[in-house]
Amino acid sequence: MTIQKAQQSRRENVDFDNLVFGKEMSDHMFAMDFRDGVWGDSHILPYGEVGMALSLSALHYGQSVFEGMKAFWGADGKVRVFRPRDHYKRLMRSCERMCIPQFDYDHFISAIRTLMELDRTWIPKERGKSLYIRPVVFAIDYSLGLKPSLSYRFAILTSPMGYYYPEGMKPVKLMTSGEYVRAVRGGVGDVKTAGNYAASMLPFKEAHEQGFSQILWLNAHDNATIEEAGVMNVFFVINSVLITPALSGSILPGITRDSVLALAREKGMIVEERAITIQEVFDAGHIGKLQEAFGTGTAAVIAPIGLIHHDGNEMNINNNKIGPMTEMFYYDMTAIQYGEKEDYLGWCEIV
Ligand code: COI
């Protein structure tokens, strides 16, 4: 790996007390290209613009996949990356679906380790903050031919962050959409490809204009079964049972989702991964059995849901307050991430 260090760090110009998600990038980035059928040498460079011609194929046809992961500055002064192998595996599944060549875990983890070493001062030390790691793999042929590109770039940038939502830990409001759908089985909703997020921007914009944080996506076929909330998987606590939509083929298999399920099962809770309709959630709310709802995601962590709007009706959840189970999962998971609690599920890699 070649390393070209930034001549001057930009770290001192960044206000770590007021971090906005995705706004500030750390000093260095990683890049490795695929050409002539093989992945080539890897490089660390100062973060900055990458030259490109307007015919760059990822721009036109969206052959691009990414991951979102995090590094945490622990209570013991150690830096932990959360579940890197699982993020790598999901990235490889995304590559496979989008016809992008795969690469070894060694390339992935050694790139992250080197970036964490070089940009250590960019990892926030305050609890609740972290260094967001964004690996991306995209097509770099200069061609308008509609076919899999012959060349690709695997790159990583990092960005310090606090809360994803401006609300912080205050419950978010979701709305269903009678008009738009996110994904269908057989499509690409279960992988992390750029187009999924591009397609959600107009619905999100309209939801924001109406005062909602996210769309609660319903199944494209029945417009009734709950899927996910775009940057989060969703969970409901009904009658003390933890319920989350089963991975039906159009939902992103979230790593935080999987972590919450593992923690819940460890605690002996009743957990159901199954189809759940919006009607079931509203019915449970009407008879006082809907205790809590929350979303999970790398950026969002565990975000309480305080209200759902569906088809002209609103359901308030837990008086718009964070519930005890939501709080417990948040603290259990973040305690492992910040090294305050034993990593008994072997999730963290110390870098
Ligand atoms: C993440 O949670 O890491 C994501 O990738 C969602 C992102 C679009 C904010």
Side-chain angles (χ1 to χ4, degrees):
M1 189 184 303
T2 67
I3 298 178
Q4 185 194 335
K5 284 197 188 170
Q7 290 194 334
Q8 206 176 351
S9 174
R10 288 172 287 100
R11 166 70 178 75
E12 292 312 313
N13 308 330
V14 175
D15 180 2
F16 271 58
D17 291 331
N18 295 293
L19 292 169
V20 175
F21 176 75
K23 191 162 171 268
E24 306 289 352
M25 309 305 158
S26 316
D27 285 330
H28 298 92
M29 62 183 181
F30 168 87
M32 175 172 89
D33 285 359
F34 180 90
R35 293 182 195 279
D36 302 322
V38 285
W39 284 102
D41 296 337
S42 43
H43 307 280
I44 299 262
L45 308 151
Y47 171 78
E49 293 182 4
V50 287
M52 62 170 188
L54 199 48
S55 55
L56 185 91
S57 72
L59 279 184
H60 299 267
Y61 304 127
Q63 215 192 346
S64 174
V65 298
F66 70 96
E67 268 304 313
M69 40 197 297
K70 279 179 176 172
F72 301 87
W73 194 283
D76 51 3
K78 291 182 180 154
V79 173
R80 290 170 175 79
V81 176
F82 192 62
R83 303 190 69 173
R85 199 174 275 278
D86 296 302
H87 282 283
Y88 163 79
K89 285 184 188 158
R90 188 172 65 181
L91 185 64
M92 293 304 103
R93 279 201 308 276
S94 300
C95 282
E96 189 182 11
R97 177 64 181 85
M98 300 307 287
C99 222
I100 296 175
Q102 302 185 10
F103 46 83
D104 295 340
Y105 181 64
D106 279 356
H107 286 302
F108 183 82
I109 196 66
S110 64
I112 289 171
R113 280 183 178 282
T114 312
L115 283 175
M116 292 305 106
E117 224 173 275
L118 285 169
D119 285 336
R120 216 157 187 83
T121 58
W122 287 83
I123 308 170
K125 291 194 174 146
E126 214 178 303
R127 204 188 193 290
K129 295 181 181 171
S130 57
L131 189 69
Y132 187 75
I133 303 172
R134 170 55 65 85
V136 57
V137 196
F138 56 101
I140 57 170
D141 273 7
Y142 289 155
S143 166
L144 296 184
L146 181 57
K147 57 180 172 46
S149 179
L150 294 174
S151 52
Y152 295 88
R153 176 158 302 163
F154 163 41
I156 306 178
L157 60 80
T158 67
S159 170
M161 71 173 285
Y163 287 117
Y164 178 72
Y165 290 113
E167 296 94 314
M169 277 305 274
K170 285 223 293 280
V172 293
K173 294 201 249 173
L174 307 184
M175 63 175 281
T176 61
S177 166
E179 190 176 357
Y180 304 109
V181 295
R182 177 182 172 274
V184 290
R185 194 180 314 154
V188 293
D190 61 342
V191 294
K192 218 161 162 61
T193 187
N196 284 336
Y197 296 83
S200 68
M201 284 184 191
L202 178 64
F204 279 176
K205 179 172 165 278
E206 293 180 4
H208 283 154
E209 283 164 1
Q210 294 174 61
F212 295 92
S213 301
Q214 297 276 303
I215 300 267
L216 180 61
W217 294 110
L218 300 181
N219 181 286
H221 299 292
D222 61 14
N223 196 38
T225 313
I226 294 170
E227 300 238 305
E228 59 163 270
V231 299
M232 308 190 293
N233 294 109
V234 287
F235 285 81
F236 301 92
V237 183
I238 297 179
N239 215 7
S240 300
V241 177
L242 184 69
I243 307 168
T244 191
L247 299 176
S248 57
S250 50
I251 296 175
L252 190 78
I255 309 249
T256 314
R257 174 190 181 277
D258 184 72
S259 307
V260 165
L261 288 172
L263 290 172
R265 288 183 173 125
E266 280 283 320
K267 287 176 192 299
M269 287 172 56
I270 308 172
V271 176
E272 293 179 358
E273 287 181 79
R274 62 165 171 87
I276 174 166
T277 63
I278 188 73
Q279 193 58 50
E280 180 180 345
V281 170
F282 270 61
D283 287 348
H286 287 135
I287 57 167
K289 302 266 185 202
L290 174 61
Q291 294 155 291
E292 296 179 43
F294 59 91
T296 60
T298 295
V301 194
I302 291 176
I305 299 168
L307 181 140
I308 299 174
H309 181 281
H310 171 64
D311 204 15
N313 299 305
E314 290 201 333
M315 177 56 61
N316 278 293
I317 304 165
N318 195 40
N319 296 319
N320 200 32
K321 291 201 194 80
I322 182 167
M325 233 183 247
T326 309
E327 208 156 23
M328 177 193 72
F329 286 124
Y330 178 83
Y331 280 102
D332 275 9
M333 203 182 70
T334 54
I336 292 175
Q337 293 172 329
Y338 288 97
E340 297 157 0
K341 201 172 161 182
E342 196 204 330
D343 178 19
Y344 63 105
L345 291 158
W347 282 338
C348 298
E349 181 125 357
I350 293 178
V351 296

